[in-house]
Structure formats: structure tokens, C-alpha cells
Amino acid sequence: MKRRLLAALLLLGFLCTGCASGAPEASPYAPPPEKRLVIYTSHKEEVYGPIVQEFQLRTGIWAEVVTGGTNELLEKIYAESDQPVCDVIFGGGVESLSAYESCLQPYLCQSYGFLKNAGRSAEHLWTPFSSLPIVLIYNTRLVAAGELEGWADLLDTRWKGQ
């Protein structure tokens, strides 16, 4: 009897949650969309969450975060170019950002002079947040040490198909 009652309660719980709309209600305290800062980010919440929270606390500006993959978000920005939605994109590599630089506007942050030159945009289209090294690893039984020293070496025709 107890098992049947428990099963019935669980089933009722599942049915009730299945009837929910799925879309969260907007906060009554949220400003209208035109008063929000829209941030597109490819970072995980563990990275962007504390930064966005501190930004909101320091500035009093309401931030709306849209997440996705870098290329997905850049394609979205490109598609929205007639009516931009995104105010800031947070994330993505230099290669990806430079492919969509026609969609970006220059911005020079106060601390720009303190940043390392690596990864900076001469046109101020992006500001580096972190530098992540790209590493080439190869099998020294197949390739002699020092034969590959950079990406340009891989373009040599002798490596075609290897």
C-alpha cells in the first residue's frame, strides 16, 4: 500500500512538472530590454558568472547573458547585423574574432596599455582576456626533434598527407 501511494505521488509530481511552461517568468525587477547589457559568451558559467555578477554590482547595469559556441555566437552577431542584439562578446580566439571583424566596433579599455601585445587588435576590435598557448606535439620517432617549430612548418608540401 505504501509503495502504491509513493508511486502515485511520484507520478503526480512528474505530471505536474511536465505541465510547466518551461520558460522562466521575467523578473518584475528586470529593466526593459533596451536598458539591459546583452553579453554573448562562449565561456562556461564558472568563468563568466562571477565576472558578470561583479560587473552588475559595481555598475548597477543589468546584464543578460546568452551562451553558445564561439562560431555559433559570431554567426548570430553577423545575422543580427541589421538589428544588433549583442552589446559585448566575451570569449573566442583571435582567429575567430578576426574572421568576423566587420561586425565589431572599436573599443579601447582604460587598462589597454598594461596588456601584453600578444592577441591585441591593432584596430581595438577586441581586448584579450587571457592567453592560452597553442602547442604542437609530435612523435619524435616519426619526426626529428626541431623539424617542426611552428604552424608554418606544417604547410611545407613534404608533410602533405602525413
Side-chain angles (χ1 to χ4, degrees):
M1 181 70 171
K2 286 184 182 180
R3 285 186 183 185
R4 282 186 180 177
L5 181 60
L6 180 60
L9 287 174
L10 284 172
L11 181 60
L12 180 63
F14 286 128
L15 288 173
C16 288
T17 58
C19 295
S21 69
E25 284 188 36
S27 168
Y29 305 108
E34 64 274 5
K35 299 268 186 185
R36 300 177 196 175
L37 178 74
V38 179
I39 302 169
Y40 286 6
T41 185
S42 57
H43 287 294
K44 294 182 179 179
E45 189 171 3
E46 301 88 60
V47 174
Y48 78 76
I51 295 168
V52 169
Q53 185 177 22
E54 184 171 341
F55 168 81
Q56 291 180 122
L57 288 172
R58 284 187 183 197
T59 66
I61 298 171
W62 186 289
E64 181 179 324
V65 178
V66 177
T67 60
T70 299
N71 288 336
E72 171 192 357
L73 294 172
L74 287 167
E75 288 172 11
K76 186 174 173 72
I77 289 170
Y78 180 78
E80 296 168 346
S81 59
D82 289 340
Q83 291 184 311
V85 174
C86 175
D87 297 304
V88 175
I89 183 164
F90 176 43
V94 172
E95 299 82 11
S96 298
L97 295 171
S98 62
Y100 287 87
E101 64 184 19
S102 65
C103 299
L104 306 176
Q105 293 181 352
Y107 171 76
L108 186 61
C109 72
Q110 287 181 326
S111 304
Y112 193 79
F114 296 105
L115 299 172
K116 293 180 179 181
N117 287 333
R120 294 198 312 189
S121 164
E123 298 83 16
H124 307 293
L125 296 176
W126 55 80
T127 303
F129 169 71
S130 63
S131 54
L132 301 172
I134 298 176
V135 180
L136 285 175
I137 299 173
Y138 57 89
N139 185 336
T140 55
R141 287 184 265 169
L142 301 174
V143 179
E147 242 182 310
L148 293 174
E149 294 183 355
W151 293 110
D153 293 336
L154 291 174
L155 297 175
D156 190 310
T157 55
R158 69 184 173 143
W159 300 114
K160 187 174 182 173
Q162 299 295 318

